[in-house]
Amino acid sequence: MQTRGVRLINPRAGHESRRGGAGPSDHKAVIVGDKTVMIPVHTAPAFESPFVVGEPDAAGVSRVLRDGAEVAEVRFPGRPRFYDLKTADGIPYSHIATLHSRNVLATTVLQTCIRYESRKKTCQFCAIGQSLSAGRTIAHKTPEQLAEVAKAAVELDGIEHMVLTTGTPPGSDRGAAVLAESARAIKAAVNLPIQGQCEPPDDDAWHQRMADAGIDTLGMHIEAVTPEVRARIMPGKASVPLSKYFSSFEAAVKVFGRGQVSTYILAGLGDSAEAILEISQKLCAIGVYPFVVPFVPISGTPLESHPAPSAAFMASILRPLGEMIVAAGMRSEEIKAGCGRCGACSALSTYEKFKVA
């Protein structure tokens, strides 16, 4: 379901799904057993998926049919209560931060990016500008707004950790400054573990500055692992060489600790399973958690018609990767905050726990 998506009989079941925006999008949160996963519902593959999720019954349970045969039962997380609130100046809380999975608060502090402004530089998979142009968010969330929403989300909905990501602004800090400013305000209002996500800052001193401000874990995302795929898929971001990422990873691990620094890798963009596993081994060796997720083609982006990876391709990566991560002394459940701890966008955490034959 995570690679092919699902068709929903009732698209309004559970809380509203995300369209566009930064990070994983065009998904809906679905509870399978005791695990919440993000499943594509607004993508081209999802429109042709063999999986159909029926109307929830009186107990909130939906049957999943594949080609007409029942294969699973799922539930949907409810709409968070903090979505009903607005700031004093009338901005809906949901425009400042959103619910991911069932217990994660996420926000894009700066909804603009130097990469996105140029068609020659933009990451081909990114939709950071879509939710802004559609009026579903604001361009810059202030520290005060983020603190207000985070406090309400914890108190009303039991949020357990938070993700602060950002479009890359001009300047050598690559967004680290605005993340630190935001985290400092949030931590002053509520005790909430925070992951910051940005490109590697030019000066490694920013890692300590972010940690001092209250950021608990750090994500610096390489997305693609081979030079040719990086240059084709994200021509602007590819100007930052992998050697810079690795030197920044090593500096960050010294500050945040092994397993508390991570990187997002999108499987299905053209990198082979062998290439992804090879770089993942290097990441594990230095204490960086390689969070490998299936690529989701988002509507309205240049890659909207790009095929999603097959379940078999994902299994060929995640099975050995799960063992590799555990052998390196890391586990998703030990990450203090962020995408790796949540794990809803990949089956990786399941492969850490069970050796699949």
Side-chain angles (χ1 to χ4, degrees), residues 247-321:
S247 66
S248 197
F249 285 144
E250 291 177 348
V253 169
K254 291 177 182 177
V255 172
F256 294 98
R258 287 183 61 86
Q260 304 303 326
V261 179
S262 63
T263 191
Y264 230 92
I265 297 175
L266 301 173
L269 291 175
D271 292 317
S272 67
E274 293 76 15
I276 292 173
L277 288 170
E278 181 180 355
I279 202 165
S280 294
Q281 182 69 70
K282 295 176 182 177
L283 291 163
C284 286
I286 62 175
V288 175
Y289 185 90
F291 189 52
V292 178
V293 307
F295 166 68
V296 175
I298 298 176
S299 302
T301 66
L303 293 183
E304 66 178 0
S305 298
H306 192 285
S310 69
F313 179 72
M314 291 308 303
S316 74
I317 298 170
L318 299 182
R319 182 180 294 116
L321 180 57

Side-chain angles (χ1 to χ4, degrees), residues 82-83 92-99 105-108 137 141 146 149-150 162:
F82 79 86
Y83 274 29
Y93 277 15
S94 60
H95 287 200
I96 295 168
T98 58
L99 178 69
L105 187 66
T107 186
T108 304
T137 189
K141 292 80 171 176
L146 291 170
V149 174
M162 185 173 186

Side-chain angles (χ1 to χ4, degrees), residues 5 20-21 51 53 80 85 96 112 119-120 124 127 132-133 172-173 183 206 247 265 267 289 309 312 314 324 327:
F51 296 101
V53 178
L85 303 180
I96 295 168
T112 56
R119 292 187 64 86
K120 293 182 178 180
Q124 303 293 292
L132 181 61
S133 61
S172 61
D173 67 88
W206 276 107
S247 66
I265 297 175
Y289 185 90
M314 291 308 303
M324 188 187 300

Side-chain angles (χ1 to χ4, degrees), residues 217-271:
T217 70
L218 182 65
M220 295 182 289
H221 300 161
I222 58 177
E223 275 99 16
V225 305
T226 52
E228 57 270 27
V229 176
R230 296 185 80 233
R232 174 169 52 85
I233 298 296
M234 42 187 191
K237 196 172 180 181
S239 65
V240 182
L242 287 177
S243 58
K244 169 57 180 172
Y245 273 86
F246 271 83
S247 66
S248 197
F249 285 144
E250 291 177 348
V253 169
K254 291 177 182 177
V255 172
F256 294 98
R258 287 183 61 86
Q260 304 303 326
V261 179
S262 63
T263 191
Y264 230 92
I265 297 175
L266 301 173
L269 291 175
D271 292 317

Side-chain angles (χ1 to χ4, degrees), residues 79-247:
R79 187 176 190 271
R81 287 184 286 177
F82 79 86
Y83 274 29
D84 296 329
L85 303 180
K86 295 182 179 180
T87 63
D89 50 353
I91 300 173
Y93 277 15
S94 60
H95 287 200
I96 295 168
T98 58
L99 178 69
H100 282 210
S101 185
R102 61 177 176 80
N103 61 356
V104 185
L105 187 66
T107 186
T108 304
V109 182
L110 299 178
Q111 202 78 31
T112 56
C113 179
I114 57 172
R115 314 289 187 203
Y116 195 79
E117 306 304 325
S118 167
R119 292 187 64 86
K120 293 182 178 180
K121 296 180 181 179
T122 185
C123 299
Q124 303 293 292
F125 49 75
C126 183
I128 191 173
Q130 288 186 13
S131 53
L132 181 61
S133 61
R136 294 192 299 271
T137 189
I138 58 177
H140 182 190
K141 292 80 171 176
T142 68
E144 294 76 19
Q145 289 170 334
L146 291 170
E148 179 180 340
V149 174
K151 187 173 187 293
V154 170
E155 294 175 349
L156 296 176
D157 297 288
I159 290 297
E160 296 179 3
H161 54 116
M162 185 173 186
V163 175
L164 296 177
T165 190
T166 182
T168 302
S172 61
D173 67 88
R174 305 291 184 179
V178 74
L179 294 181
E181 178 186 46
S182 302
R184 188 175 291 108
I186 293 166
K187 283 292 179 73
V190 62
N191 184 20
L192 184 64
I194 297 172
Q195 180 182 54
Q197 299 179 351
C198 62
E199 291 188 33
D202 283 1
D203 186 350
D204 286 338
W206 276 107
H207 299 314
Q208 189 63 57
R209 292 169 190 157
M210 286 190 281
D212 291 343
I215 289 175
D216 300 281
T217 70
L218 182 65
M220 295 182 289
H221 300 161
I222 58 177
E223 275 99 16
V225 305
T226 52
E228 57 270 27
V229 176
R230 296 185 80 233
R232 174 169 52 85
I233 298 296
M234 42 187 191
K237 196 172 180 181
S239 65
V240 182
L242 287 177
S243 58
K244 169 57 180 172
Y245 273 86
F246 271 83
S247 66

Side-chain angles (χ1 to χ4, degrees), residues 29-84:
V30 176
I31 301 172
V32 183
D34 61 353
K35 184 171 179 59
T36 304
V37 294
M38 300 300 289
I39 303 294
V41 295
H42 299 304
T43 64
F47 299 149
E48 300 178 354
S49 173
F51 296 101
V52 177
V53 178
E55 182 81 28
D57 63 19
V61 177
S62 296
R63 295 190 307 151
V64 181
L65 305 180
R66 177 170 183 163
D67 299 325
E70 183 174 344
V71 294
E73 291 184 346
V74 300
R75 294 175 292 121
F76 297 95
R79 187 176 190 271
R81 287 184 286 177
F82 79 86
Y83 274 29
D84 296 329

